[in-house]
Amino acid sequence: PHPNFDAEADVETLRKAMKGAGTDEDAITNVLARRTNAQRQEIKKKFKTMVGKDLADELHGELSGNFRRVVLHSLYEPDQYYAKCLHSAMKGAGTDEKVLTEILTTKSNAEMNAIKEAYTKLNKENLEKDVQSETSGFYRRVLIASLQGNRDELTGEQLQFLYN
């Protein structure tokens, strides 16, 4: 976390960076790249309260290209970001199995359940059904099993033992 985090000051900096002709991309980077996801979520809420507009919408109108994409992705909550990545990995021709593997096999039960919920909310589709239709064989079985979000997890005490 940023040690001197002040959401109101960050909102003012972002407003100033987007005001008038041109956009101060360095100021936007200095604020958003140096905050945790939780702090960025707080900035989004404070922006809406102080300015009456959605921060992502404002940034979308001010930025372009890869910079816009990265900045907007940084504003997603983790479960929303993973849901978008999974959807992108499966839409259109072909499937990006690296993305499916990375996300679906590394998340905790709670994270997996949050991702499934976000996927349904964002895409109006069922993640398990999409994975079922995009994969096959043993690989499909492993991913579907991971998607259930009910595998055994290590307790804090077990993790402590492993790392000592």
Side-chain angles (χ1 to χ4, degrees):
H2 191 273
N4 302 315
F5 176 64
D6 180 351
E8 285 190 26
D10 287 346
V11 167
E12 287 301 328
T13 300
L14 292 170
R15 278 182 71 180
K16 187 176 176 184
M18 294 185 279
K19 200 170 194 159
T23 302
D24 185 349
E25 293 179 352
D26 288 337
I28 293 169
T29 300
N30 285 331
V31 169
L32 298 179
R34 293 192 168 110
R35 304 298 181 269
T36 65
N37 187 275
Q39 289 172 334
R40 287 191 300 271
Q41 300 312 311
E42 196 173 325
I43 292 167
K44 277 176 36 179
K45 288 178 189 167
K46 187 63 78 172
F47 192 92
K48 185 79 162 198
T49 300
M50 291 174 63
V51 181
K53 297 179 180 178
D54 183 77
L55 177 58
D57 291 344
E58 293 299 297
L59 289 167
H60 188 273
E62 293 285 332
L63 307 175
S64 63
N66 287 332
F67 183 65
R68 173 171 59 193
R69 196 178 92 247
V70 168
V71 167
L72 294 178
H73 282 175
S74 78
L75 296 177
Y76 290 128
E77 292 185 36
D79 55 331
Q80 295 170 327
Y81 176 74
Y82 292 130
K84 284 195 161 289
C85 289
L86 289 165
H87 189 259
S88 293
M90 292 185 284
K91 75 177 182 185
T95 300
D96 188 341
E97 293 180 348
K98 288 180 184 178
V99 171
L100 298 185
T101 303
E102 174 68 25
I103 295 172
L104 299 179
T105 64
T106 62
K107 303 302 171 219
S108 70
N109 293 335
E111 291 169 321
M112 188 61 65
N113 289 321
I115 291 167
K116 288 190 300 187
E117 188 176 311
Y119 189 91
T120 300
K121 187 183 256 185
L122 291 170
N123 305 303
K124 309 291 187 252
E125 297 170 8
N126 181 283
L127 178 56
E128 186 173 334
K129 286 181 180 175
D130 287 354
V131 168
Q132 188 86 28
S133 72
E134 293 290 326
T135 59
S136 62
F138 187 69
Y139 179 66
R140 174 194 291 163
R141 288 176 49 200
V142 169
L143 294 182
I144 297 298
S146 295
L147 268 169
Q148 301 316 300
N150 61 8
R151 61 185 164 202
D152 290 338
E153 294 181 331
L154 297 177
T155 65
E157 191 176 288
Q158 291 168 323
L159 286 170
Q160 194 72 21
F161 176 78
L162 286 174
Y163 290 109
N164 287 335

